[in-house]
Amino acid sequence: MVALNIFYVTLIVDFGLQLVFGVLSIILKTEKFYDFIGALTHISCALLGVFYNWDTSKDQSFEAKLIQAICISLWAAKLGAFLFYRVIKAGSDSRFDDAKKNPLVLLFYWFLQGVWVYLNILPSLFMFYTTKEKNTLLYVSIIGWVVFLIGLVFETVSDYQKTVFRNNPANKGRFITTGLWSISRHPNYFGEILLWYGIFIAAAPYFDSNWAFFTIICPTLTALQICFLSGIPLLENGGIKRWGNDPEYAKYVSSVSVLVPFFMCCECYKVPLKGAEEEQPAGYNSTDQLEDAEVKPPNV
């Protein structure tokens, strides 16, 4: 019997989890564990990738692969805990208000999460699949892990700063301009993009096929989604609607980079200040104070 390679095994685990919990969410009519299962799937596939068919007599790169899996798991654990806490506190997730009315649409959301997970881990799967007798390019992976950690710190700290800001009743109806938010209007998104490019860099020295380098499209798709689809455009338009006539907000927008800290010239998206009655994208909830949720397929 021929054993399945790690690409097929993780694919089965990934979409198997989405199918099981997707059906369960339909039965229970709840979306509360959606993000938690997304995080759990990342962790499961990453650890499975390291230990599946592991042979220390032939592969001297186990430590590097384990570090890669730990990085992915660390991010996923942070993501799952943060979003699960938020949905429990809020009572529901507004992204799913319409989807819960149609079981097929809700199940499709779970399918999209499966695609999202697989694209995130695909560069690492090429790393896990490769056997190295000598670990000669570890320094390149170290650079990638440093990039990942910088991105993770940006994302985690900015999320924490905004949570603290929102929990202060004195800040109700106001926008945050302190901490990392003083150098980027979306520092958590900057961190999200950076950490996935770091994961790709760390995996690249272990690619044994030129085709594997095309997986750079995976973090690039995340960046494009954030910059042009469900991330920055939605939130920037929301800011215009809420504070478009506020001179302080105008000053903030004109002096702080939309994404890359300190680099106004690197902005991938910028909304000119207009009146507060700017028409918003379908599905936008103006009661969400610029809700910087993690980028997930259902937000598209």
Side-chain angles (χ1 to χ4, degrees), residues 228-243:
F228 300 110
L229 294 176
S230 64
I232 292 175
L234 183 63
L235 299 177
E236 288 289 293
N237 278 311
I240 297 302
K241 181 174 182 178
R242 299 198 69 186
W243 304 296

Side-chain angles (χ1 to χ4, degrees), residues 262-280:
F262 305 113
F263 288 92
M264 298 294 291
C265 62
C266 294
E267 299 193 19
C268 57
Y269 183 87
K270 185 175 180 180
V271 179
L273 286 176
K274 298 179 181 179
E277 300 302 319
E278 180 88 64
E279 183 179 354
Q280 298 307 307

Side-chain angles (χ1 to χ4, degrees), residues 6-298:
I6 191 59
F7 296 98
Y8 294 120
V9 172
T10 51
L11 189 69
I12 292 171
V13 170
D14 178 10
F15 285 95
L17 285 171
Q18 308 317 309
L19 178 60
V20 170
F21 285 97
V23 172
L24 187 61
S25 72
I26 292 173
I27 295 173
L28 299 178
K29 296 182 179 180
T30 181
E31 77 293 351
K32 291 182 179 179
F33 49 81
Y34 179 86
D35 292 307
F36 177 80
I37 296 303
L40 180 63
T41 308
H42 276 94
I43 296 172
S44 300
C45 290
L47 294 178
L48 182 61
V50 174
F51 292 102
Y52 187 75
N53 283 342
W54 169 47
D55 186 349
T56 54
S57 64
K58 297 179 180 179
D59 190 1
Q60 300 301 313
S61 59
F62 172 76
E63 292 82 2
K65 294 175 180 178
L66 183 59
I67 293 173
Q68 183 84 341
I70 289 174
C71 287
I72 295 173
S73 300
L74 185 63
W75 168 83
K78 189 275 301 183
L79 167 75
F82 176 73
L83 294 183
F84 187 64
Y85 165 77
R86 191 171 68 187
V87 74
I88 293 299
K89 182 179 179 181
S92 65
D93 189 331
S94 61
R95 291 177 297 171
F96 295 86
D97 288 346
D98 294 329
K100 286 187 291 186
K101 301 174 183 177
N102 188 327
L104 290 180
V105 174
L106 184 57
L107 193 62
F108 181 66
Y109 275 25
W110 283 89
F111 169 79
L112 288 178
Q113 176 161 258
V115 174
W116 175 68
V117 171
Y118 201 76
L119 287 175
N120 279 344
I121 66 171
L122 187 56
S124 298
L125 290 182
F126 279 98
M127 176 187 188
F128 300 150
Y129 182 72
T130 304
T131 298
K132 290 283 187 180
E133 295 182 357
K134 292 184 179 180
N135 218 359
T136 57
L137 294 175
L138 182 61
Y139 66 90
V140 178
S141 294
I142 292 175
I143 293 173
W145 294 325
V146 169
V147 172
F148 166 84
L149 286 175
I150 293 173
L152 184 66
V153 168
F154 255 86
E155 184 180 55
T156 304
V157 172
S158 58
D159 281 338
Y160 173 76
Q161 289 174 339
K162 194 158 195 179
T163 299
V164 172
F165 179 85
R166 285 176 174 165
N167 288 340
N168 186 347
N171 293 325
K172 183 176 178 59
R174 300 173 60 190
F175 53 91
I176 184 171
T177 61
T178 56
L180 293 178
W181 301 86
S182 67
I183 59 176
S184 169
R185 302 207 296 277
H186 303 283
N188 54 343
Y189 284 158
F190 172 71
E192 175 83 2
I193 292 171
L194 199 62
L195 68 86
W196 285 117
Y197 274 113
I199 288 294
F200 172 82
I201 293 170
Y206 298 88
F207 293 165
D208 61 356
S209 167
N210 290 334
W211 289 105
F213 287 95
F214 283 97
T215 58
I216 194 172
I217 195 174
C218 298
T220 301
L221 285 174
T222 293
L224 291 175
Q225 182 184 8
I226 287 174
C227 293
F228 300 110
L229 294 176
S230 64
I232 292 175
L234 183 63
L235 299 177
E236 288 289 293
N237 278 311
I240 297 302
K241 181 174 182 178
R242 299 198 69 186
W243 304 296
N245 293 329
D246 187 338
E248 289 299 316
Y249 185 69
K251 180 181 179 181
Y252 177 64
V253 170
S254 63
S255 60
V256 177
S257 169
V258 69
L259 182 65
V260 183
F262 305 113
F263 288 92
M264 298 294 291
C265 62
C266 294
E267 299 193 19
C268 57
Y269 183 87
K270 185 175 180 180
V271 179
L273 286 176
K274 298 179 181 179
E277 300 302 319
E278 180 88 64
E279 183 179 354
Q280 298 307 307
Y284 174 74
N285 184 355
S286 62
T287 62
D288 296 335
Q289 185 181 340
L290 288 182
E291 187 69 37
D292 285 322
E294 295 292 339
V295 178
K296 306 297 288 295

